[in-house]
Amino acid sequence: MIQAPKGTFDILPDDAARRERIEAQAARILGAAGYRRIETPAFEATDLFERGVGEATDIVQKEMYTFDDGGGRSLTLRPEGTAPVCRAYIEHGMHKLPQPVKLWYVSSFFRAEAPQLGRYRQFWQVGAEAIGSASPETDAELIVLLAELLEAVGVKGLSLSLTSLGTPETRAEYREELRAYLHAREQQLSPDVRSRIDLNPMRAFDASDEATRDVMRRAPKLLDRLAPDDAEHFAEVRLLLDDAGIRYELDPTLVRGLDYYTRTLFEFSSDALGAQSGVGGGGRYDRLIEQLDGPPTPASGWAAGVERMMLAADELPVQGDLVDLFIALPTAAGVRPAFRLAREARRAGLQAQLELAGRSLRGQLRHADRIGARYVAIVGEDGTSLKNMESGEQRETSAQDVIPMILRGSRLV
Ligand code: AMP
């Protein structure tokens, strides 16, 4: 038996109905704030992600599905949505439009990660990007919109972590300071942390052993090193969030797996999830457009995982489709008028289904009952009768009268 590849899954109809609800909430909430939908290709030039996401990141180093297109060009299945949206912004000259350009998407992404609950190799994200605005209001608004989406979807046990990364220059200086601090205390650090001081000193903040944690509690924090205008920007974001009643925790050690962030950085987690507790997050990426050869353009955005949102929300019952009319065929003689009736009923806005399985009339009526059809039209050799499945009433009619009668919702007798 051939199965779906490891780390991928089928979206069966009930699941698709739940996803549609999330998509509809995203369309409503983001649409009301002036975000318009965009869709970019499932694969892009590999270079886009190497330059956009960052060569040193895990995503680029280990998680990309990269292939040759047969003509010597390297392509990659998109592992995230921000770099492609920025590529589209540049390619279509969107800097000439009124700024910021506010875009949203719901698309699938691909990462060769070790699969586990909430972590897949093909997964879906709802994302929003506001390109062309440096204002703290943009960041605060994006966070508020994501909070509203998560709430509307019913995600439980939410918390928000927030920090500011300042500029890459501030960060580089800070990393030097942290390295020196850690080197001066090497004996107190775990061997693992010690071996990574030069490679990635920030990882030390995630250490679990008590001696290292003790050292880290007193370590210098990036938030205390921000340049005055970055600090002011961050203060304004916080003020607006406070005003909006959004609770957050300052987490100066927050890091996300993408290199392009500057200033505001945030992540929503849910305690209803296991190890993979991140539901959605994002931040400001003021240098990315320029890095991709566009004009210097500040921007900010987020992405939230559709499967994680579904895992962290109560499973709402899915209602089956409402079937207005089932068209039963006691004999083959009724096929052509029945086929016509089905088309006309659908054109009139009804959900109409035709018998397709060659069942006996009894079997067809049982089937109509099982799918919850409101009416059954029995199209036979010598006429048509219409049965109201709720009342059980049935009466002879003509094929032309079936649709008007259902539309009127009239009692048959
Ligand atoms: P990121 O693009 O890494 O910032 O991820 C944004 C959100 O996408 C996360 O908070 C998750 O909800 C979701 N996500 C990221 N990677 C995966 C994955 N491999 N499987 C399922 N969801 C994911």
Side-chain angles (χ1 to χ4, degrees), residues 111 113 118-120 123 125 256 258 278-280 303 305 307-308:
R111 293 182 195 172
E113 297 193 87
R119 194 160 80 187
Y120 311 100
F123 57 96
Q125 287 182 342
R256 307 194 78 245
L258 306 119
V279 230
E307 295 76 28
R308 300 258 178 102

Side-chain angles (χ1 to χ4, degrees), residues 47-57 83 86-87 90 168-169 171 258-262 285-297:
D47 198 33
L48 173 65
F49 301 112
E50 285 175 346
R51 285 166 55 191
V53 178
E55 297 237 46
T57 60
C86 289
R87 195 255 320 124
I90 299 166
E169 293 75 25
R171 224 145 64 223
L258 306 119
D259 262 1
Y260 46 60
Y261 289 116
T262 51
Y285 49 93
D286 287 342
R287 308 277 179 103
L288 181 55
I289 303 262
E290 200 175 352
Q291 222 165 288
L292 297 173
D293 304 328
T297 310

Side-chain angles (χ1 to χ4, degrees), residues 371-382:
I371 63 174
R374 291 167 53 223
Y375 292 91
V376 178
I378 302 162
V379 183
E381 235 161 307
D382 17 82

Side-chain angles (χ1 to χ4, degrees), residues 215-256:
V215 172
M216 297 322 289
R217 269 191 281 276
R218 279 168 286 123
K221 304 285 183 318
L222 176 57
L223 263 184
D224 301 324
R225 297 291 183 271
L226 296 185
D229 54 340
D230 292 333
E232 207 176 296
H233 190 278
F234 189 49
E236 187 62 26
V237 173
R238 294 181 53 185
L239 204 73
L240 291 167
L241 291 179
D242 292 340
D243 255 11
I246 304 268
R247 287 228 297 274
Y248 55 83
E249 212 164 292
L250 277 187
D251 181 357
T253 67
L254 182 65
V255 277
R256 307 194 78 245

Side-chain angles (χ1 to χ4, degrees), residues 324-325 350 374-375 386 402-410:
D324 298 305
L325 174 64
L350 300 174
R374 291 167 53 223
Y375 292 91
L386 187 63
V402 167
I403 296 168
M405 283 172 87
I406 296 176
L407 289 177
R408 278 201 307 272
S410 65

